[in-house]
Amino acid sequence: VALPGNVRPEASSAKDQGPVADSLELEHMFLQLKRPPAQEAALSRFIDELQDPLSPNFHHWITAQEFGERFGIAKSDLDAVTSWLHSDGFTVHGVYPNLAVDFSGTAGQVRSAFHTQLHELVVNGERHFGNAADPQIPEALAPLVAGISSLHDFMPRSLAHRARRTSGPVPEFSAGAGYLEVVPEDLATIYNLKSAFAAGITGKGQTIAVLENSDLYSPGDWYVYRKVLGLARKYPNASLTTVHPSSLGGLPCFDPGVNGNDAEVAVDVEAATAAAPDATIEIASCADTVNFGGFIALQNLLTAGTPPAIISLSYGMPEMFLGAATNEFISSLYQMAVAEGVSIFVGSGDSGAAMADAGSFAASYGISVNGYASTPYNVAVGATDYADTYLRITNSYWSPANTPAFGSALSYIPEIPWNTSCGSELLAKSHGFHLSYGPEGFCNSAGGANFLSTFASGGGPSGCARGEPTPFGTVGNTCAGYSKPAWQKITGNPKDGVRDLPDISLFGSNGTWAHYFVVCFSDPYDPNGASCLGDPSNWAGFGGTSVSAPIAAGIQALVNQATRSRWGNPNPVYYELASAEYGATGSSSCNSSKGAAAASACAFYDISLGDIDVDCTGPFNCDYGPDSSFFGVLSTSSGSFKPAYASGAGWDFATGIGSINAWNLIKKWPPGEGAAVLTAKR
């Protein structure tokens, strides 16, 4: 029987260069197994109980070995699977507690055993390989096997984006020198981290692991960042380490060296230390194989001992491109992490609601979300921008002079969703257009041509975590999203029955409205690199959910320190606190547009201005307006303009719950195993 939904959309005849050699070695593939329904239900109950203070299992984290023993499958079933693999000549290295069978073989053995051939493919000028048809397995094993993760070498995209150093979309706004570059002191002011720091909650004793498939170009960049921007002297307990974790079961992790993703590593480690300046930042990096190196690192961290309590991941790929087997692998891996008390923060994506069109000038695959972020077991983190430029109130929120640490933010600043696309209603209005789409719209104007882009904070409903997408590679056919978790109940969240993204959002602009995150990244061989000498305004700059995810992870490190506890999946707490704050209609007193005038007790800021809509072409979720020969914008309706998606009261697809006042969040967080006394120092 075939395992549907496990062919990359690029595996089309137009890009097919023929079969690979039978001798091609495929090292450490994962055959992902699945639990019987009753066993899966038991695991779901246990994960819920881990977060329930009234349950005897509250925070009773278990090891990977215990996870496998309690929620594995029968030994006889495992033996049947591994014996079949052995009979076809594969080498079976082991079975991991998250039901991933690690095995190696050749393309010829794959063709013989799974009845699918691997072909060479050319995609956008790059050579790849992938299976041309869904793999097949013996019918007797079908109840046990989800599929193979994976039979191709397509890797996820980094979610970091180089800053656009422009004067912004509106003319002649003014503020003090250096306000464009958001630095740690600015974040501390805007998100009220500084009150936590004053109380001694700085991330001390906590470890944040960032998952990577590259090493950092120079660890010295991290130290320069901390020294120049005022962290090193105030918070001396921080450290930076690099590990290439190996599993006790023998899954190798090869040092990836410095490659084209080293900019991502720099963003991750510096954003994390900005939010938790006394924490240990751990780069967990492995080279890609047929599997993403970051997941190899996570697999090994979870199975080789006590893993770090907080993980940040800044890569992505759409659910329907991942395939059913890889989605199952990710979900099972995150389940094991939560059971061990690990909190996973993942960037929600950088293509609005069109993750499948990442990096394109227009969306054509319709609505899709980041499969690395869409499971019910992680926090999906969206990105925001600051609205002072759009509202023309910049001087109210930024000082005309920098502090010695180059900070200039004066208070919390109104926020909008990060969006660089001409599909943004705010960008259209700022350029004098009433519409973003159609022949008279911004996207089809001379000025709008500079904003034809899908770069925007990711959000949308899970749509293809299981099943098989359409032949075009879009959400449809037998696709189904992850079921809505019980904790995702809050005003504004639709009754759509599926997991919705994002959960929270924090700063991640790359300069669209003249704000971006400054980064010390000195790689001279990378076009994004820059010298870290002198004023930080000359350093590299970035945006994207690569910035917001590690900041959110850093805030969780503060929570963990304050409560002296791991928290596994913190989403149930986020949504409970936000529901109490927003009530049935959203909170006007905590509306982000109030800026500094927002209520002093808000744990969350409800963002209700702006959208993540992007320009589009083609027949999928694209509303062209009166003339289909022009660029349209992504829409949930083909008959009227319903942007995918706009922010609004309460939860929304553009920003989730909204952004965070860190000190208020910490004070309102429920007690863990032993809460610290929170007393602000005078």
Side-chain angles (χ1 to χ4, degrees):
V1 296
L3 300 172
N6 289 294
V7 177
R8 291 282 304 194
E10 297 91 343
S12 64
S13 58
K15 300 164 186 173
D16 195 329
Q17 305 298 300
V20 304
D22 276 355
S23 59
L24 176 68
E25 294 282 347
L26 300 171
E27 297 291 342
H28 297 280
M29 295 173 280
F30 290 144
L31 184 70
Q32 183 61 43
L33 307 183
K34 52 188 178 182
R35 299 176 185 86
Q39 191 78 329
E40 189 66 35
L43 174 56
S44 295
R45 285 194 301 272
F46 176 70
I47 289 175
D48 289 343
E49 291 167 355
L50 287 172
Q51 308 299 144
D52 182 0
L54 301 179
S55 169
N57 282 324
F58 177 64
H59 283 202
H60 280 199
W61 317 115
I62 59 178
T63 65
Q65 180 179 348
E66 291 171 323
F67 183 86
E69 292 170 351
R70 292 179 61 173
F71 304 109
I73 62 176
K75 185 177 183 303
S76 58
D77 290 334
L78 285 177
D79 289 343
V81 172
T82 56
S83 295
W84 172 66
L85 290 172
H86 280 302
S87 70
D88 277 286
F90 293 109
T91 299
V92 178
H93 304 287
V95 182
Y96 293 92
N98 54 312
L99 299 183
V101 181
D102 177 9
F103 72 108
S104 298
T106 66
Q109 289 169 327
V110 167
R111 175 174 49 78
S112 175
F114 293 99
H115 303 281
T116 186
Q117 199 163 41
L118 304 185
H119 283 223
E120 292 186 8
L121 307 169
V122 175
V123 180
N124 296 325
E126 297 180 352
R127 300 192 71 86
H128 291 275
F129 69 82
N131 51 305
D134 283 320
Q136 299 179 35
I137 59 171
E139 185 175 12
L141 300 180
L144 303 173
V145 178
I148 308 170
S149 175
S150 62
L151 289 175
H152 60 76
D153 65 347
F154 291 92
M155 292 299 129
R157 295 178 63 94
S158 160
L159 302 179
H161 299 284
R162 184 178 182 176
R164 296 176 55 159
R165 286 186 172 89
T166 69
S167 60
V170 294
E172 299 304 324
F173 56 86
S174 61
Y179 88 98
L180 289 171
E181 297 81 27
V182 175
V183 298
E185 191 170 277
D186 294 326
L187 292 176
T189 297
I190 295 165
Y191 295 123
N192 202 14
L193 298 163
K194 62 183 180 182
S195 293
F197 298 163
I201 307 302
T202 59
K204 183 179 179 180
Q206 305 300 310
T207 297
I208 302 168
V210 295
L211 303 180
E212 310 290 351
N213 60 358
S214 173
D215 292 338
L216 185 62
Y217 169 71
S218 171
D221 287 352
W222 185 80
Y223 291 99
V224 169
Y225 179 87
R226 287 179 50 82
K227 180 180 180 180
V228 173
L229 299 180
L231 300 179
R233 181 179 60 83
K234 290 183 178 180
Y235 311 105
N237 299 294
S239 63
L240 177 70
T241 62
T242 298
V243 298
H244 310 299
S246 293
S247 168
L248 294 176
L251 179 62
C253 169
F254 299 106
D255 184 347
V258 173
N259 55 51
N261 282 334
D262 53 323
E264 178 60 66
V265 188
V267 173
D268 290 345
V269 298
E270 292 176 16
T273 200
D278 261 335
T280 293
I281 310 300
E282 180 179 277
I283 302 167
S285 63
C286 296
D288 294 329
T289 59
V290 288
N291 290 287
F292 170 49
F295 283 152
I296 295 173
L298 179 57
Q299 177 89 54
N300 291 351
L301 287 173
L302 296 176
T303 55
T306 302
I310 301 168
I311 299 287
S312 180
L313 177 60
S314 298
Y315 293 80
M317 192 177 285
E319 288 177 328
M320 67 274 199
F321 284 16
L322 287 169
T326 301
N327 282 314
E328 184 72 24
F329 167 75
I330 295 169
S331 176
S332 186
L333 189 62
Y334 289 5
Q335 281 179 317
M336 184 165 67
V338 170
E340 295 184 56
V342 177
S343 303
I344 300 179
F345 293 82
V346 189
S348 63
D350 289 356
S351 306
M355 185 65 189
D357 293 289
S360 301
F361 70 91
S364 61
Y365 282 95
I367 293 173
S368 60
V369 298
N370 182 8
Y372 283 26
S374 62
T375 86
Y377 310 107
N378 64 273
V379 179
V381 186
T384 68
D385 203 338
Y386 298 128
D388 58 287
T389 313
Y390 171 74
L391 297 171
R392 297 176 182 264
I393 52 174
T394 295
N395 289 337
S396 298
Y397 288 100
W398 300 91
S399 170
N402 287 331
T403 69
F406 297 94
S408 54
L410 298 174
S411 68
Y412 176 70
I413 304 173
E415 289 177 272
I416 54 178
W418 169 58
N419 191 347
T420 74
S421 172
C422 61
S424 161
E425 286 192 271
L426 300 186
L427 278 173
K429 289 178 180 178
S430 74
H431 284 78
F433 288 83
H434 296 293
L435 295 175
S436 54
Y437 60 91
E440 304 300 324
F442 180 47
C443 287
N444 297 291
S445 69
N450 295 321
F451 293 89
L452 289 171
S453 164
T454 59
F455 291 145
S457 180
S462 174
C464 202
R466 299 181 175 90
E468 185 172 15
T470 70
F472 304 103
T474 61
V475 172
N477 201 356
T478 61
C479 276
Y482 290 109
S483 297
K484 187 179 293 295
W487 42 259
Q488 197 168 43
K489 294 179 180 178
I490 185 172
T491 184
N493 186 258
K495 296 181 179 180
D496 53 7
V498 296
R499 165 79 162 116
D500 296 315
L501 279 65
D503 297 305
I504 56 174
S505 295
L506 293 162
F507 178 74
S509 176
N510 70 330
T512 311
W513 293 96
H515 316 96
Y516 63 82
F517 186 71
V518 67
V519 175
C520 178
F521 175 56
S522 64
D523 186 349
Y525 305 103
D526 191 301
N528 300 312
S531 170
C532 297
L533 299 175
D535 191 299
S537 63
N538 298 315
W539 293 8
F542 289 87
T545 53
S546 280
V547 174
S548 57
I551 292 173
I555 293 174
Q556 188 64 39
L558 307 184
V559 170
N560 285 17
Q561 180 191 357
T563 58
R564 299 176 184 170
S565 176
R566 290 172 171 254
W567 281 90
N569 185 1
N571 269 327
V573 179
Y574 285 151
Y575 280 84
E576 181 180 4
L577 294 178
S579 292
E581 187 167 286
Y582 291 169
T585 58
S587 172
S588 60
S589 62
C590 293
N591 190 296
S592 173
S593 295
K594 287 182 174 291
S600 61
C602 300
F604 299 96
Y605 297 112
D606 187 1
I607 300 169
S608 58
L609 177 66
D611 59 58
I612 57 170
D613 209 5
V614 298
D615 55 285
C616 61
T617 61
F620 303 110
N621 303 115
C622 192
D623 185 352
Y624 283 82
D627 190 332
S628 61
S629 65
F630 293 87
F631 285 106
V633 290
L634 207 64
S635 177
T636 57
S637 170
S638 60
S640 61
F641 176 53
K642 293 186 178 180
Y645 289 92
S647 56
W651 187 98
D652 53 66
F653 285 114
T655 61
I657 290 169
S659 68
I660 290 173
N661 180 308
W663 178 237
N664 289 343
L665 180 70
I666 292 168
K667 290 190 295 182
K668 292 183 179 183
W669 202 273
E673 284 85 300
V677 177
L678 304 181
T679 304
K681 297 178 182 178
R682 295 187 181 275

